[in-house]
Amino acid sequence: MFIEQPPWIYRVLFQGALWRLPDTEKCVYLTFDDGPVPEVTQWVLDILDMYGVKATFFCVGDNVRKYPEIYRMLMERGHRVGNHTCNHVQGIRYRSKKYVANVEKAAEWIDSNLFRPPYGHMRFPQLWRLRKHYRIVMWDVVTRDYSPHMTSQGVFNVVKKYTRNGSILVFHDSLKAVDRMKGALPRAIEWLLAEGYRFKLL
């Protein structure tokens, strides 16, 4: 559960970050990390269109540089984008100055005031510096679709078990997650709609 739905103490440590929205309506916020990549993101967009769902995509700057047409498509179809660093770097492995510089490099291609740290890890000085310019968005439910130890059914079960009102859900439009994500995402959307959840943009 520590991975799928971080405990309250972890949330307290990262004060100012957004983990879940205390919405009185029955709604969820669907997000995707690590794209855009043409082999996956295009498929995700088509699935979201089919169900009339909007989502927020936390993009890796270097992927946007390589695939600008997919990035433009995200916004043309009414989705929102966020910064996910330029090279998917892990904050605890970088000095703050270098980490912030990587985020700023990504901002050359990604026009957004939203930021999500890869792996959900940051040093406190990185958090303090970045939240001056960004809304730091974490998650309430991470599906673990990136894990080779998971199955599509397991990913779907995570959504069913941990989703609650105001949850920020994380899937990945990446090559390492594509097989599990493709099997789980349509089922998850259908289940959420059947349960009465509405999808909102961050």
Side-chain angles (χ1 to χ4, degrees):
M1 179 176 174
F2 181 82
I3 296 175
E4 291 90 346
Q5 195 167 61
W8 68 270
I9 187 63
Y10 194 66
R11 302 170 191 238
V12 169
L13 289 173
F14 287 89
Q15 289 189 8
L18 184 63
W19 296 88
R20 175 179 173 230
L21 285 155
D23 212 310
T24 55
E25 300 177 55
K26 194 169 185 180
C27 61
V28 293
Y29 299 82
L30 184 60
T31 68
F32 293 86
D33 286 2
D34 301 353
V37 291
E39 300 91 337
V40 187
T41 308
Q42 177 71 63
W43 180 88
V44 171
L45 290 173
D46 291 343
I47 290 295
L48 296 180
D49 281 352
M50 186 169 68
Y51 291 101
V53 169
K54 302 301 180 186
T56 302
F57 289 78
F58 287 90
C59 299
V60 173
D62 197 51
N63 286 344
V64 175
R65 179 189 64 80
K66 290 186 288 188
Y67 310 114
E69 69 284 355
I70 304 294
Y71 177 74
R72 285 194 298 270
M73 195 179 297
L74 292 173
M75 292 178 289
E76 288 169 358
R77 296 200 188 185
H79 303 288
R80 191 164 185 197
V81 296
N83 189 319
H84 200 46
T85 74
C86 192
N87 304 102
H88 202 260
V89 294
Q90 190 169 0
I92 58 174
R93 296 179 181 270
Y94 277 70
R95 292 187 179 277
S96 294
K97 184 176 180 180
K98 188 174 181 181
Y99 185 78
V100 172
N102 197 271
V103 175
E104 292 172 346
K105 182 69 174 177
E108 295 178 13
W109 294 288
I110 302 166
D111 183 18
S112 177
N113 68 336
L114 302 179
F115 174 74
R116 173 177 285 160
Y119 309 98
H121 298 153
M122 275 193 297
R123 298 176 186 269
F124 291 119
Q126 295 164 356
L127 171 67
W128 298 330
R129 289 180 63 178
L130 288 172
R131 71 184 182 187
K132 294 178 182 178
H133 306 286
Y134 292 94
R135 186 71 190 271
I136 310 299
V137 181
M138 302 297 259
W139 64 83
D140 188 50
V141 181
V142 62
T143 62
R144 295 183 63 212
D145 54 353
Y146 55 82
S147 173
H149 305 294
M150 291 288 279
T151 63
S152 293
Q153 182 64 46
V155 172
F156 177 49
N157 289 342
V158 168
V159 174
K160 291 199 298 180
K161 182 175 182 179
Y162 294 107
T163 299
R164 51 186 173 169
N165 188 38
S167 284
I168 299 172
L169 306 175
V170 183
F171 282 86
H172 293 77
D173 56 328
S174 66
L175 292 174
K176 67 180 180 181
V178 62
D179 292 338
R180 291 169 291 275
M181 189 269 294
K182 279 189 172 183
L185 180 62
R187 295 177 66 195
I189 291 174
E190 290 174 3
W191 180 82
L192 289 163
L193 290 171
E195 290 292 307
Y197 286 101
R198 292 197 309 116
F199 290 85
K200 285 187 172 184
L201 275 176
L202 289 171

